[in-house]
Amino acid sequence: MSQTVTDLEVHDIRFPTSEQLDGSDAMNPDPDYSAAYVVLRTGHAGSGAEGHGFCFTIGRGNEVMAAAIEALRPYVVGRPAPRTAADLGELYRELTHDSQLRWLGPEKGVMHMAVGAVVNAAWDLAAAGAGKPVWQFLAGMTPEELVSLVDFRYLSDALTPEDALAILRAAEPGRAERTELLLAQGYPAYTTSPGWLGYEDDKLVRLSKEAVADGFGQIKLKVGADLGDDVRRMSLAREAVGPDIRIAVDANQRWDVADAVEWMNALAPFDPHWIEEPTSPDDVLGHAAVRAGQPVKVATGEHVANRVVFKQLLQAGAVDFVQIDAARVAGVNENLAILLLAAKYGVPVCPHAGGVGLCELVQHLSMFDYVAVSGTWEDRVIEYVDHLHEHFATPTVIENGRYMAPLAPGFSARMLPESMAEHRYPEGPVWQARRTTEENAR
Amino acid sequence: MSQTVTDLEVHDIRFPTSEQLDGSDAMNPDPDYSAAYVVLRTGHAGSGAEGHGFCFTIGRGNEVMAAAIEALRPYVVGRPAPRTAADLGELYRELTHDSQLRWLGPEKGVMHMAVGAVVNAAWDLAAAGAGKPVWQFLAGMTPEELVSLVDFRYLSDALTPEDALAILRAAEPGRAERTELLLAQGYPAYTTSPGWLGYEDDKLVRLSKEAVADGFGQIKLKVGADLGDDVRRMSLAREAVGPDIRIAVDANQRWDVADAVEWMNALAPFDPHWIEEPTSPDDVLGHAAVRAGQPVKVATGEHVANRVVFKQLLQAGAVDFVQIDAARVAGVNENLAILLLAAKYGVPVCPHAGGVGLCELVQHLSMFDYVAVSGTWEDRVIEYVDHLHEHFATPTVIENGRYMAPLAPGFSARMLPESMAEHRYPEGPVWQARRTTEENAR
């Protein structure tokens, strides 16, 4: 019997992470990691099924994201609860193609991220209903079902449905074997925890060594504020981890093209694995120029607005690594398009994660990619940041530098009710206490 | 004595234009032209000065835009009322570079358009305070002041401050002469009123002939839903206006690259002046491929998110005409960057207008460009659509197919208080009446 979506709840949840300078980088000095959080319900609270999703923000403006999710209520409440690929494709297309809401993007920024939150909540609902984690729910679909999830509009000069079908069919025979390998070994991770820009040198060195001891083969440093500082920090990190550990660097969009070229030529002697977000995420041609102008590989994607920009990054040969984000584009469906584009162009996908809940979500997409799309984890790593996992019911499990495959049904990103209550903005006790402290300090 | 901004008011104003199919096109079948409207006040209502600005939307989601404007309140209220180029540059930079709000774009979509509304309201306030229309207020600034208004971040591989200064200095000697010409003759316009996709053939023919009789040298048709229909409509329009009137066509992002090439090769025998928005506004490389694949010139810009994408459209040789929009990017400041980029690449700017209030705003930018940037109106036309002007205190004046230069101080886009009261959503009488009609029809 078909269930109906009876409610869409929106919650403004914020963590005061700026107090510790966790997450500080050249463009984001004081983020308060936040989630505009959505719960879809079937039946009454406590009795029916639930689907959870969210947009990730870094504080101010989280209420604007919440308003955007709220604007999607009429498209979701009252419809049959999505269960199949056909249902999930239809919901995604309806939300992205509403002509009036589309004007607010199109397919970018606040409104698009809100669609992503709702689409991901629908995937949580559907996968949980099927009793499977999202990666396995996806990997259990036929190539034809998977292709039906994708919106090929604006992609056909780079990827057709036939191309997608061929990629997915080629990966079909090895699905079972790779699923077993994944369950046994987990998926490779790297860690950004040592390298936040606000950390002192000795903390950077200590955390870099700890990361290697914990089994990570790759770490990442934030760069881009001051070249002298970056040369010193990169040199310290390289000394700390030795020549065999990969060190990626991340400029968080700080530079123009010429700055990026100059800076990376200066850092190149320390063998950086990639330079991430050297410039504007909208600048396809700029990324291509950065890639051509210096020897370090180029990565980007966490702020790339949609599949059309990813398509061009690949067409222009502008990136060596595609960094999908689970909550920036329109959810699982659009990320599937991006995984297929990357597979078509033979470019490895190394997801962005961190923030709050992004690791929990995006692991499913890389694992699905391994099992059913690219069929490989070579040159691929999922970012890992060790913040805020304790707020989730089924947090990521990292063992020896690898993400262990989640086994719980759904999308692994259901926040604990007590964490939500504590961090509700502006009325939750964490924020009330902070206001009291600030008032007393005046 | 310096005034302070004491209030920021936000209004959700919507016009039920979908009832008439005015504004219908291949992607937007039923727009309700709307404004998320902002008023900055200095001193008390009724006594102090005001600055008005807005985001344009086509209905649903206008409340999300309003929430985004509201999120900017703390950056505006309490600061000195902007009066000079330095003030207006500082406000623009502060609003676009707030690190937490920037995450919601960056510089695109809902949050960016909200910044544009507030920046434009600040320009209205400052120009009105100086007793000048915005085009003349701008054209009275020195090249150095104008350069200080621009954010060159991500532009320096295409346009440096030195480049901008050289362009502005080269245009300086002719400013007075061109101002006189503009005041005497007005600025060339074209009209889209005949060509909405929802209009019957005989209405299209009648309105096309009327446009020519009214003195317009260019009209525009919406295309993209059905090739057979478009060939018929284009043929009828060409027959109606004769060979000497330019007919632009507009696909409103309906096509993939191959569709655009096929369609425009089929329409080419009717000599279209340009094809507008053939594909996704994000697809720089797609536009370049469309331009290379068929003989009709390419125009785009009304949905282009920011100066970085415009930069690439010019770098890639993807467009023959740059179509700025007054309310899509971050206001006058970012549009100044785009005008300078277009001047650097020698590409004419033909603004998008229509909607509600967009003609009123954007005329100032083209007139300023004529006087102080490109120094020419050759190959340049501002779009004109004859809808909803009656709701403004100083509506556009069109004579013999040209925009007459606005003389009233400010940005010409202050909506009449009674129009705002009538069309307030959801509580205004127009919307109450519509709900009653709908309920009675059930």
Side-chain angles (χ1 to χ4, degrees), chain A residues 228-244:
Chain A
D229 284 349
D230 288 347
V231 168
R232 191 189 71 251
R233 294 169 71 252
M234 183 75 194
S235 152
L236 286 169
R238 177 55 74 204
E239 206 183 295
V241 303
D244 298 332

Side-chain angles (χ1 to χ4, degrees), chain A residues 193-215:
Chain A
S193 298
W196 300 109
L197 210 56
Y199 287 179
E200 298 292 331
D201 287 355
D202 54 352
K203 188 168 182 182
L204 165 69
V205 168
R206 176 171 54 80
L207 293 176
S208 297
K209 288 182 176 169
E210 282 178 22
V212 177
D214 288 345

Side-chain angles (χ1 to χ4, degrees), chain B residues 57-403:
Chain B
T57 79
I58 60 172
R60 288 185 290 279
N62 204 48
E63 77 283 8
V64 181
M65 290 294 338
I69 295 172
E70 185 62 44
L72 297 170
R73 175 186 299 275
Y75 304 82
V76 179
V77 174
R79 75 189 292 144
R83 291 185 307 126
T84 64
D87 300 339
L88 290 158
E90 189 186 307
L91 175 66
Y92 159 65
R93 267 183 279 269
E94 216 172 287
L95 294 180
T96 46
H97 287 310
D98 176 88
S99 65
Q100 295 189 359
L101 293 178
R102 188 178 180 281
W103 192 272
L104 304 191
E107 299 192 57
K108 59 177 65 69
V110 166
M111 204 63 236
H112 201 51
M113 289 191 274
V115 169
V118 172
V119 167
N120 282 343
W123 278 90
D124 184 46
L125 181 67
K132 290 183 185 167
V134 162
W135 68 272
Q136 246 175 342
F137 182 58
L138 272 164
M141 290 181 179
T142 65
E144 290 75 11
E145 286 175 316
L146 291 167
V147 166
S148 79
L149 290 165
V150 173
D151 181 1
F152 288 91
R153 175 165 272 180
Y154 307 137
L155 297 188
S156 63
D157 54 331
L159 179 82
T160 63
E162 296 69 36
D163 294 338
L165 211 50
I167 291 165
L168 293 163
R169 282 183 181 153
E172 227 180 343
R175 284 187 183 186
E177 189 191 342
R178 284 190 297 274
T179 300
E180 273 181 51
L181 262 174
L182 183 62
L183 288 167
Q185 302 184 8
Y187 193 103
Y190 77 93
T191 177
T192 306
S193 297
W196 300 110
L197 211 56
Y199 286 179
E200 299 292 331
D201 287 354
D202 54 353
K203 187 168 183 181
L204 165 69
V205 167
R206 176 170 55 80
L207 292 176
S208 296
K209 288 181 177 169
E210 282 178 22
V212 177
D214 289 344
F216 289 101
Q218 177 176 334
I219 63 172
K220 190 164 80 184
L221 306 190
K222 299 292 185 173
V223 297
D226 180 275
L227 180 52
D229 285 348
D230 288 347
V231 168
R232 190 188 72 250
R233 294 169 71 251
M234 183 76 194
S235 153
L236 286 169
R238 178 54 74 203
E239 206 182 294
V241 303
D244 297 334
I245 299 293
R246 289 172 302 196
I247 307 179
V249 298
D250 183 355
N252 290 88
Q253 315 167 27
R254 180 63 182 257
W255 301 320
D256 280 28
V257 170
D259 307 321
V261 168
E262 184 199 344
W263 216 284
M264 291 314 299
N265 277 316
L267 291 179
F270 305 100
D271 190 24
H273 181 54
W274 72 50
I275 170 61
E276 179 170 332
E277 289 204 307
T279 189
S280 163
D282 302 332
D283 199 347
V284 172
L285 301 179
H287 278 83
V290 171
R291 186 161 181 253
Q294 51 77 47
V296 179
K297 290 180 176 176
V298 172
T300 200
E302 71 176 271
H303 278 86
V304 168
N306 57 44
R307 69 196 182 287
V308 180
V309 183
F310 277 110
K311 177 190 76 166
Q312 294 174 85
L313 287 166
L314 292 163
Q315 287 175 314
V319 289
D320 300 280
F321 300 99
V322 162
Q323 299 182 299
I324 59 169
D325 179 287
R328 171 73 52 184
V329 301
V332 170
N333 300 59
E334 191 167 16
N335 266 318
L336 172 54
I338 298 162
L339 293 175
L340 287 163
L341 280 163
K344 169 89 187 285
Y345 284 82
V347 173
V349 174
C350 298
H352 170 252
V356 56
L358 295 178
C359 299
E360 277 70 16
L361 285 179
V362 88
Q363 58 180 343
H364 290 270
L365 301 176
S366 277
M367 291 178 190
F368 158 68
D369 176 75
Y370 170 67
V371 173
V373 186
S374 74
T376 177
W377 55 37
E378 205 174 327
D379 284 332
R380 285 151 172 88
V381 272
I382 309 173
E383 183 166 21
Y384 179 69
V385 188
D386 61 359
H387 300 154
L388 306 177
H389 300 284
E390 65 276 19
H391 299 293
F392 291 89
T394 54
T396 53
V397 177
I398 300 285
E399 286 180 13
N400 200 29
R402 297 174 80 95
Y403 274 87

Side-chain angles (χ1 to χ4, degrees), chain A residues 30 60 75 98 100 102-103 105 108 153-154 156 253 256 282-285 306 311-312 328, chain B residues 27 30 60 75 98 100 102-103 105 108 153-154 156 253 256 282-285 306 311-312 328:
Chain A
D30 58 352
R60 289 185 290 279
Y75 304 80
D98 175 88
Q100 296 189 359
R102 189 178 179 280
W103 191 272
K108 60 176 65 68
R153 175 166 273 181
Y154 307 137
S156 63
Q253 315 168 27
D256 280 28
D282 303 332
D283 201 347
V284 172
L285 301 178
N306 56 45
K311 177 190 76 167
Q312 294 174 83
R328 171 72 54 182
Chain B
M27 293 291 275
D30 58 351
R60 288 185 290 279
Y75 304 82
D98 176 88
Q100 295 189 359
R102 188 178 180 281
W103 192 272
K108 59 177 65 69
R153 175 165 272 180
Y154 307 137
S156 63
Q253 315 167 27
D256 280 28
D282 302 332
D283 199 347
V284 172
L285 301 179
N306 57 44
K311 177 190 76 166
Q312 294 174 85
R328 171 73 52 184

Side-chain angles (χ1 to χ4, degrees), chain A residues 93 142-170 336-337 340-341 344, chain B residues 256 259:
Chain A
R93 267 183 280 269
T142 64
E144 290 76 10
E145 286 175 317
L146 291 168
V147 167
S148 79
L149 290 165
V150 173
D151 181 1
F152 287 91
R153 175 166 273 181
Y154 307 137
L155 297 188
S156 63
D157 54 331
L159 180 81
T160 63
E162 295 70 35
D163 294 337
L165 211 51
I167 291 166
L168 294 163
R169 282 184 180 153
L336 173 55
L340 287 162
L341 280 163
K344 169 89 187 283
Chain B
D256 280 28
D259 307 321

